[in-house]
Amino acid sequence: MKAFTRSRISMLYVILIVVLLAFVSVSNYIASRNMESESNAIVKDSIPIATTTNSLLTDLINQETAIRGFELTTIEQYLEPYTAGRKQLEEDLDKIRKYDKKYPTLQLIMDTQAIPAITNLQKFYDSQLELVRAGKTDEAKARLASGKTMMDRYRIIHTSIEKAIEQITADAYTASLKAGQTSRMITMVGGIIALIAGGLSIFISFRANQAEEELRKSEETYRYMAESLETQNEEIIAQQEEQQVTLAKLSERERDLELISSYQEKLTGYVELKDFLKHTLPALLNSLAQDAALVVIERPSSTEGSSLSYEVIHSIGYPKNHISQHQQELFGPAKRVFDEGTPIYHMRDVLGHEQGIHGGMLQACDQYIPLFDDKQKVIGFLLLTSYQSSLLHENNQRLTKGLVRQFGLAFYSQVMNDERLRQAANLAKLNDQLIAEKQLIEGQRDLIQNILESAHEGMMMCDSHGTILFSNHRMNRYFNLHERIGENLIACCQDISTETASFIGVATSIEALIEGSNSHLTQRFSFVFEDQPQYAELYATVVSADTEQKGYLFVFRDRTEEERVDEMKNEFISIVSHELRTPLASVLGFIEILLHRELSKDKQKKYMETIYKEAHRLSNLINDFLDLQRMESGRQLYHFSPINVISTAQEIAEQWQDKQNHRIIIHQQDEELWVRADADRMRQVFHNLISNAIKYSPGSDRIDIHLSADQGKINVTIQDYGLGIPEEAHAQMFSKFFRVDNSDRRQIGGTGLGLAIVKEIVEGHHGQISYTSEMGKGTTFRVVLDQYQLSTLDNKIVIFEDDDDLAKLIQVALNKFNLPSIQIRSAEEGIIALSRCTGEPVLFIVDIHLEGAKTGWDFIADLSHHPVYYQTPVIVSTALDQPHDYHEKDIQKYLKKPFSMERLVQVAKHLLETKQSNAYVFHTQDKDSLSTTLQRKGIDIIEMKSNMDMIEVEIKKPQSDA
């Protein structure tokens, strides 16, 4: 009991030492893993993130380069880097998204800045591709600056991402240092514990020596016990060998049963015969321990002179090309199995490839087993071949007979199923053909029906007796024949003749055609439909003249539009000939007098004034024709700029005051009413409306013009007190060449184009024109336009730009100055706003080619002569590709905007800081050409300084009028 206690104590000491050593090992392992994980954070996170973000920038640069190459050459091959870059860009974005939850700062930059910028770039590149492929190369090149600006913006975002990655790396490095300190602390504690464990180990070793002495004493006792146990063990081994033999026999029997069960499971559940044979024959060979098998069936012969043939439908286990697929005649065991209907066993020598790779197969045993149908007629046979043994055991024969019988039944069932499937497939094929033919016939019928219904001509068909068979919608629209299908056409025509007298001749011709006295029919007639005169032509064609299905196809063609066009053409020729001949007659008459008579100076002057007046009348007439043609063809260009409607109306009214007996009175409540319009075209509107008012009010002495504003709209009404417009003419008042025809207007000249031109101009300005009239009391024309609010320049950055997208981009770039900004689309508006300015503008950014008739140079010239704001800094956002020709050609032909937004902000900041210097900033170009251009605009130069890609021009202070 005492020794046992010491042994237990020694064992406890050993366990304690092992635990202590394990603790030291685990602590060192934890410390090393902590250090490794913090180091890996730098390698696995920071470095891949930095690499991926740099790859994003590379991907975008590759796309930008490819797009520019494609824009310059339009060669699709240049788009290969673009496609590859776009694909790589998606992969890089997916990589970065893996770190979103781990690094929120990086996620914030990517979601709010980087990804929107990348999306905008992708959309821009896609739109550039569409423009180039659509042939709009110039437009695509003009948008290059926008793409460069987007790319520059992304580079700034990329810099922010790099800073975030540097912070992530610094944090990981700090964590790694802390992990190292922790590791050293854990190692120190582990070392102390190891020293304690060493001391305990010495003590345990001493105790172990004492225990060894005691073990030696008990060794001989243990040896005797071991010899007894060995004898018992030999007896147990002998019993185990007997049990293993029995177990092997049971396992073999179990395996055979599993093979048979697996084979039986594979006899059912197949749709096609080939699948049945593919799965059941291998299972049958495994169950019967056979090596090869094939199935032969009897089929009707396709060869003349032979009624039957034999086909190997499936084989397994035989050498390639050893089996002939088709046989016209059988012999030997194969022939006997068909004749006798019993299994036949045949031993044979093995030759050729059947001997195997090693050549060791010398004999084979073939079993020919007949396959029966439901009437016990042989339909084929199953051939099983074994190369392993020529002996046929009785048990094996019994098993073979049972399994083959099951195979024969399942095989015939599958053959019948295949036949049913084949028949079903044939029936389905025939059904599909019938459905296709039916759909084809229905489609042809519908196509013919749609063609007849969509034709612009009315169509009606009757048989040889005159019975109506078909009538399309256009024929029904005029004569309602769809309600009389199946009735006699002659009777229908007689009913129509009672309502339309002009149809009597047509009805007679149709009757003669059907009775056979006429062989063809072509006739024109007129009728009234919905209170409007209609003109038509009817002709008939014989259908299937030589068959029993003979009939007549009547085609009704509407000629109303042709008659209207002919009438308009005749009216146009009449008007033009009259309007041209009258002034030409006067011009020729007075010129003849001047050439052949001696006249006084006063008469010569009077005649020359008359000639000038008539020539001017001819010029206006031709201009009206040309203006209307341009407007209708969509080629009319409008130069929009702010216009004061009141001053325009006063200007036109003043021109008419001295030429007629009418007084033109303008009624207004406001000093100014501004619209955004083409000044010349608005003058043309006022001229035409005032001219009409004067011409058609010969008995009146005044014209009233009312100008007012209401809810964002400008209303212009021109009222006369003359003849008025009859009710029947209202629908055609704005038609070309239309003139009201009555006795009061016959002496009033005109082409009928004025109101048509006015309507085109007003609608081109997104306005509306209307009128009210009362016979004998006069007419009032009303024009409604959108009111325009003039911009104020006070204490703002003013951007002269007609490209809205570029203007917004510039405004976003200049937001860092915390100053309000405004976009102006025309130089005219800028000049007007400058004259009304009360607070000094901060900065002007001027594009040369603007929306109105004037250019940015006109505004710069006006600004340079302004007595107060001439020192306001200006950035001209243009560059000249051909600077030496710049002073010889229109400047807008060479417009280019190469500024990056960073450079623009840099220049703007410099100008705002040095605002007292009266300077303009231009893109780098030829200084002499620039100096010449500025001087031609009236701008005196003090000094020109070159600064990187800019030229700073200091100008002379203009002299104030004061």
Side-chain angles (χ1 to χ4, degrees), residues 630-646:
R630 271 197 308 272
M631 293 174 186
E632 290 186 339
S633 64
R635 292 185 289 107
Q636 177 65 50
L637 298 177
Y638 295 104
H639 299 287
F640 290 98
S641 61
I643 296 174
N644 186 0
V645 178
I646 293 177

Side-chain angles (χ1 to χ4, degrees), residues 247-344:
L247 180 62
K249 293 180 180 179
L250 291 174
S251 298
E252 184 178 357
R253 181 59 179 167
E254 183 180 2
R255 183 183 63 82
D256 293 339
L257 291 175
E258 288 179 355
L259 289 173
I260 294 171
S261 177
S262 175
Y263 161 72
Q264 290 175 342
E265 289 176 357
K266 293 182 179 179
L267 288 176
T268 58
Y270 301 100
V271 177
E272 296 183 359
L273 180 61
K274 61 180 182 180
D275 293 330
F276 168 79
L277 295 173
K278 181 180 178 181
H279 291 88
T280 55
L281 282 181
L284 181 61
L285 292 178
N286 290 334
S287 300
L288 299 178
Q290 298 291 312
D291 299 312
L294 61 81
V295 177
V296 177
I297 63 172
E298 187 180 63
R299 294 191 185 278
S301 178
S302 59
T303 305
E304 295 183 2
S306 178
S307 61
L308 296 173
S309 66
Y310 304 92
E311 179 185 355
V312 178
I313 61 175
H314 191 80
S315 65
I316 179 173
Y318 294 104
K320 187 177 181 182
N321 300 327
H322 184 71
I323 304 299
S324 178
Q325 199 73 20
H326 296 276
Q327 293 287 342
Q328 296 296 326
E329 186 178 1
L330 298 178
F331 61 89
K335 176 66 174 173
R336 288 177 56 195
V337 78
F338 272 98
D339 295 338
E340 300 173 9
T342 59
I344 296 175

